[in-house]
Amino acid sequence: MRLTDYIKNRAACYAIWAFALALALLFLYVFNVSWHAMAIASALLVVGSVVSELVEYIRRKAFYDGLYEAIDGLQVHSQAYLASEMVEPPDFLEGQVLCDVMRMASSSMNARVARHRRESQDFREFIELWVHEVKLPLASLQLMSHNDGNARYAQQLARIDDMVQNVLYYARSESAEKDYVIRETSLARAFSNVALKNRDELLERGVQLRTEGLDATVMTDGKWLEYMLGQLVAYSLKYAAPDRPPQIRVAAEEQDDRTVLRFWDNGIGIPVSDLPHVFEKSFTGENGRIGKNSTGMGLYLIRKLCRRLGHEVVAASVQGEWTEVIISFGKNALLDLV
Amino acid sequence: MKRILVIEDEQVLREELVLLLQNAGYETLSITRFEDVCAQMIAAHANLVLLDINLPGTNGQLILRDFREVSETPVIMLTSRTSEMDEVLSMSFGADDYVQKPYNPTILLLRISAVLKRSSGSGSNLMQYRGVSFSPVKGSLVRAGQEQILSKNEAIIFQLLLDRQGEIVTRDDLMTALWDNQEFVNDSTLSVNVSRLRTKLKALGLADAIETRKKQGYVLR
């Protein structure tokens, strides 16, 4: 709060005081009071007003500056709404009113936020439950198709399962709750589960699959990792180049403080201009626009899940030639003991 | 004949599971009353138990924990939940394997036979086939001092054929077993592997060991 701002704010008041003083002087003049007395009276009034205004200014400045400082500090953590908890109510009225109002507003906001959190938690639990329930008929159908010796349905069932899985992981990625378990996980196991799940399509499309160094283990949640790898396989299949046999190469490499998993394919690649945005929510880019019904959620979810697990993920590509998604697993990630 | 106990509350799924297992040559039992599950498990004297995690009014993991106090019978947990925590808990309560719904039926059967083999301790032993001894660990076939070394793929194929000797093993089953062992082969590689395996068997005097059934698969005679 600057002094000039304060003075500007009080300008109307000062004008009224000046006008009142001028009127008073006029009266005193009419009543023939000596100019000495008039000068002393004016000086006393002016000095008194200036001093009282300075005192008022200093009190307000201390309070408002403190408030701004508190908010700036909280803004760093995007928690400016906590400011009302941080400031002491001042000893002047407007400040007390402000504090009161802030407190009332924030407590009503807290109640609302809590309600929404409860609602979204309920919704998430419902989705989880629903996913588990829908898997029962899916599992039954899969067995029926096998028992009847009719494998034709299996691939479509696998697609449904994939889509159901997407819903589950979207709900999980948005949740504030910790519902993963980080433990030593075999990359080979995780990837072969994913490959097996997609086997029919991989074979049908004649994909050449190569793995390297997957005997490494990483600290992660196995189920989440399988979901992410499944997404990457689906991407490679979706964006395979039409003019050459598709290849997928999955390689792990141990470095000093981390294990790096490279998922490479020789698909159509990503344009340079799109590359920085591929992990953004709902970003479909040029490849999405060429009619591949892309939702722009796959890579977004991968990055989100990676962040929650404490992994890093980046993408590299040369358009028309290859795409590579690289996930780095920290080696001394916090161990969750069960 | 190995006897498998199925504990699954969803009726359709249970019936299909039973059918799958019977088609694969197992004797099956199932539970339809979900009270005192543990006692029923003990009474069943099965060689292996398939146990669902979500059961009405109870929880497969707790049942498993009670069961483990009295029995070493292998248990494979079935679940529709895809949470690592469930797996960690199940394994820590003594499950032998953990399979998620919806399961690939071939994989489920592979896991079952792997667990059964492990529990009967025959996994690493020599297996006999018409005068040939097969060592799954070394991947070798020996007959009268003559030895043929099998590649990893050939050993996986021979093992599966031998496990189901006399039955038709589909190419799909073979492929699943190979992929389950991180050998991501395609159709033509599988054919090459089978024909190489045939050549090696022939060298041991078993030219007719693997019979091709058109559009069905292979049978080890």
Side-chain angles (χ1 to χ4, degrees):
Chain A
M1 190 164 148
R2 283 180 312 175
L3 185 58
T4 48
D5 291 337
Y6 183 78
I7 291 172
K8 252 184 235 159
N9 183 47
R10 300 279 292 164
C13 191
Y14 299 156
I16 292 167
W17 287 356
F19 183 66
L21 183 61
L23 269 184
L25 290 176
L26 186 69
F27 273 101
L28 293 176
Y29 177 73
V30 169
F31 288 108
N32 271 332
V33 176
S34 84
W35 68 270
H36 279 109
M38 278 162 60
I40 290 169
S42 318
L44 283 176
L45 280 173
V46 169
V47 169
S49 322
V50 167
V51 169
S52 83
E53 279 299 284
L54 268 178
V55 169
E56 284 295 297
Y57 167 70
I58 288 164
R59 282 161 81 191
R60 281 171 176 69
K61 182 177 170 60
F63 171 68
Y64 290 115
D65 282 2
L67 189 58
Y68 273 120
E69 206 172 291
I71 286 194
D72 279 347
L74 289 165
Q75 201 88 54
V76 179
H77 311 286
S78 317
Q79 288 178 322
Y81 57 86
L82 287 177
S84 68
E85 317 279 329
M86 303 273 294
V87 288
E88 282 294 309
D91 54 1
F92 60 93
L93 187 62
E94 304 102 276
Q96 285 160 359
V97 170
L98 177 65
C99 277
D100 240 25
V101 168
M102 275 196 333
R103 237 159 241 167
M104 276 153 67
S106 88
S107 93
S108 116
M109 189 202 68
N110 282 344
R112 214 188 163 95
V113 167
R115 202 184 77 207
H116 279 287
R117 187 172 294 155
R118 225 172 20 246
E119 280 170 3
S120 84
Q121 176 67 19
D122 283 352
F123 185 64
R124 201 185 79 96
E125 279 168 13
F126 170 71
I127 292 282
E128 287 241 5
L129 198 67
W130 180 86
V131 166
H132 301 140
E133 275 171 3
V134 89
K135 288 206 170 191
L136 295 178
L138 266 177
S140 304
L141 276 171
Q142 206 129 38
L143 288 176
M144 284 176 183
S145 124
H146 184 89
N147 289 340
D148 297 353
N150 190 339
R152 265 185 345 123
Y153 308 128
Q155 208 168 331
Q156 297 307 314
L157 287 171
R159 279 184 68 186
I160 297 178
D161 183 44
D162 262 6
M163 290 172 188
V164 167
Q165 208 77 334
N166 282 348
V167 173
L168 180 66
Y169 279 90
Y170 181 70
R172 282 186 179 168
S173 79
E174 293 293 320
S175 138
E177 249 169 73
K178 179 185 166 302
D179 48 9
Y180 49 86
V181 182
I182 292 186
R183 61 170 177 151
E184 201 167 355
T185 304
S186 151
L187 285 173
R189 187 75 256 154
F191 184 70
S192 69
N193 281 345
V194 171
L196 262 172
K197 227 174 159 184
N198 294 282
R199 199 193 74 199
D200 289 340
E201 203 173 353
L202 287 167
L203 283 176
E204 205 168 280
R205 303 275 296 272
V207 178
Q208 196 195 94
L209 209 54
R210 272 182 38 210
T211 58
E212 241 169 76
L214 290 197
D215 38 357
T217 58
V218 293
M219 298 302 293
T220 189
D221 179 291
K223 301 288 176 300
W224 289 34
L225 177 64
E226 278 178 31
Y227 172 75
M228 294 193 280
L229 289 173
Q231 288 289 301
L232 292 174
V233 169
Y235 260 59
S236 297
L237 288 169
K238 194 163 171 186
Y239 298 112
D243 58 341
R244 53 180 180 262
Q247 293 175 24
I248 294 176
R249 196 168 63 219
V250 189
E253 185 192 321
E254 306 238 18
Q255 294 176 359
D256 291 343
D257 54 342
R258 56 169 99 187
T259 305
V260 177
L261 181 72
R262 295 169 188 278
F263 191 101
W264 180 95
D265 69 50
N266 67 342
I268 59 175
I270 302 164
V272 180
S273 57
D274 284 355
L275 206 48
H277 308 291
V278 288
F279 290 111
E280 287 167 18
K281 191 174 187 172
S282 304
F283 180 80
T284 51
E286 205 174 285
N287 291 346
R289 284 191 292 273
I290 54 179
K292 291 267 189 185
N293 69 43
S294 155
T295 55
M297 292 302 285
L299 287 174
Y300 163 74
L301 274 182
I302 288 180
R303 187 181 60 171
K304 197 137 191 201
L305 295 173
C306 273
R307 280 196 177 159
R308 295 204 56 202
L309 294 170
H311 310 327
E312 255 172 62
V313 59
V314 290
S317 177
V318 171
Q319 192 176 12
E321 294 187 20
W322 53 265
T323 309
E324 187 171 54
V325 174
I326 303 159
I327 302 178
S328 313
F329 303 87
K331 272 196 180 153
N332 30 19
L334 285 177
L335 233 168
D336 284 5
L337 292 172
V338 181
Chain B
M1 200 189 278
K2 299 278 187 187
R3 194 197 326 213
I4 298 180
L5 174 65
V6 179
I7 305 177
E8 162 66 63
D9 59 313
E10 171 90 5
Q11 191 198 342
V12 182
L13 195 49
R14 182 172 64 232
E15 289 167 3
E16 293 298 328
L17 268 174
V18 165
L19 190 59
L20 174 78
L21 296 172
Q22 284 173 351
N23 288 345
Y26 294 109
E27 186 188 336
T28 57
L29 279 171
S30 48
I31 282 183
T32 46
R33 226 172 18 86
F34 296 94
E35 296 136 22
D36 252 337
V37 178
C38 188
Q40 295 187 60
M41 275 166 89
I42 297 163
H45 290 295
N47 298 96
L48 183 138
V49 181
L50 293 180
L51 177 60
D52 186 23
I53 287 192
N54 287 332
L55 291 171
T58 175
N59 173 316
Q61 289 159 337
L62 298 179
I63 293 172
L64 174 64
R65 198 180 54 186
D66 294 342
F67 184 62
R68 270 289 168 263
E69 283 175 12
V70 287
S71 171
E72 286 298 310
T73 304
V75 174
I76 297 181
M77 301 298 278
L78 304 177
T79 179
S80 56
R81 298 194 217 176
T82 44
S83 131
E84 190 80 358
M85 184 57 98
D86 277 323
E87 182 167 344
V88 173
L89 269 183
S90 299
M91 295 315 247
S92 75
F93 287 158
D96 295 80
D97 207 341
Y98 180 94
V99 182
Q100 271 173 51
K101 291 172 197 166
Y103 12 71
N104 178 327
T106 317
I107 298 275
L108 183 60
L109 291 175
L110 278 176
R111 297 281 152 81
I112 289 173
S113 86
V115 168
L116 280 173
K117 210 177 290 171
R118 227 186 303 151
S119 77
S120 62
S122 65
S124 54
N125 294 350
L126 288 181
M127 297 166 79
Q128 297 301 323
Y129 168 69
R130 287 166 67 184
V132 174
S133 53
F134 169 56
S135 157
V137 179
K138 287 197 292 177
S140 66
L141 293 170
V142 182
R143 183 187 209 183
Q146 221 187 331
E147 188 181 37
Q148 288 286 334
I149 299 293
L150 302 183
S151 71
K152 184 183 169 195
N153 290 3
E154 290 155 11
I156 293 168
I157 294 168
F158 188 70
Q159 167 105 56
L160 190 60
L161 288 169
L162 188 54
D163 284 346
R164 288 157 64 179
Q165 190 178 352
E167 296 167 36
I168 296 173
V169 179
T170 64
R171 286 177 67 85
D172 191 72
D173 293 344
L174 291 173
M175 201 80 103
T176 305
L178 286 164
W179 281 51
D180 197 36
N181 283 288
Q182 286 106 48
E183 293 295 330
F184 308 115
V185 301
N186 58 24
D187 236 29
S188 54
T189 313
L190 176 60
S191 301
V192 170
N193 287 148
V194 171
S195 81
R196 289 217 179 112
L197 178 59
R198 276 199 173 119
T199 315
K200 288 180 183 171
L201 285 165
K202 195 176 169 186
L204 295 172
L206 296 168
D208 60 343
I210 301 175
E211 183 191 336
T212 305
R213 294 277 173 90
K214 269 259 155 59
K215 293 204 168 155
Q216 294 187 71
Y218 303 100
V219 177
L220 188 70
R221 281 196 278 203

